[in-house]
Amino acid sequence: MASAAPTSEPDDEPTEETALETARRQLERAAAHLDVDPGIIERLHHPNQVHRVSVPLERDDGSTAVYTGYRAQHDSVRGPYKGGLRFHPDVTEDECIGLSMWMTWKCALMDIPFGGGKGGIVVNPKDLSIDEKERLTRRFAEELRPFIGPTKDIPAPDMGTDSQAMAWFMDAYSMQEGETQAGVVTGKPPVVGGSKGRDTAPGRSVAIIAREAIEHLGWDLEDTTVAVQGFGSVGAPAARLLDDYGATVVAVSDVNGAIYDPDGLDTHDVPTHEEEPEAVMKYDAPQKLSNEELLELDVDVLIPAAIGNVLTEENADDVKADLIVEGANGPTTSAADATFEERGIDVVPDILANAGGVTVSYFEWLQDLNHRSWSLERVHDELESEMLDAWAAVCEEVESRDVTWRDAAYIVALERVAAAHEHRGLWP
């Protein structure tokens, strides 16, 4: 019988900075530039609530496994909690808290009326059949039901989950509520209340922001080379759109490795993970590289769009790109960030670059509440407008304060969250 994954790593393995430690460090850096009540900063160091639940699952062989699930709810001063649900063996409480903090800043930076949430189950989804994944998702929805809702906390897909999982989650919640509640989650298939363009939105925003950063730096887009680590739900749309803009995408990768062509790849011809899982390395390209080697290619723009903590103290000196645009959540450790700052390498942070996901989730939520769907053209136009507004706000801070792109993004976000706390006050 397959058993639930452990909730912690062995004590003798080296540990990297956690998402929570990184999020708190970034909060302190932003706070140092603002005149914010220290009490508000202290409140933002901690989540409002963290829910830990046991999620039993009847396996296909008739046995029972029990998994641990979490939902961290960081801050709701600007609106309902918002954030993904991931199925992954390395899910931890601290990771969920840290990621929920990032969601708070991301929503504030995009100036949408949500706060930060994040959750998941400690499980390897590859060990589950489709039927088992459905039963686990539905039971998780039931365990979280007291803490979530369209005006309370609105989950979305994340690592190991997808639009189908959100449809199951929504259905399970709605059955218990006695009416269809499409707005309880976002990232659903359009046929059950999802938004057109939601699946490619994070990658689309990465491409938009990369294009704007390239222009800001005074580069010619058509002379710009790009390497993308991760050719999945974020990296593939980003690579293809940058290709369409005229940039030269020279390398992409999946979990098995990278393909590289210094003359440029036809990104529309390379299968994405969704189109054909783990097919990148089967593509006929001049060179095959490891994921680690891709990060060190001599390119203008590097887009880490796979997993977190891939740019570290160990490889930061070997990165040759002049601009890094973060597609994944937390791909750069604090130590690597410091090295890039010293070396003059610009890093556009995840909370700005990949914010298209939560932004189109907001559009989806609005469509659900109003029972009216938008066209794909409208979604793309509205997303472009929101991304350009956020980019302008960050640029203003970079230029007026002479800070990094990451610090500028957090300054914008923290200023908005702190102002909301200041106006709402502390009760009682």
Side-chain angles (χ1 to χ4, degrees), residues 19-37:
L20 178 55
E21 291 168 338
T22 301
R24 285 174 171 165
R25 188 190 306 272
Q26 291 163 343
L27 169 60
E28 290 293 341
R29 281 184 62 118
H33 293 279
L34 297 170
D35 183 19
V36 177
D37 184 336

Side-chain angles (χ1 to χ4, degrees), residues 178-196:
E179 60 182 5
T180 298
Q181 295 275 355
V184 69
V185 292
T186 58
K188 305 177 295 296
V191 72
V192 288
S195 175
K196 297 179 179 70

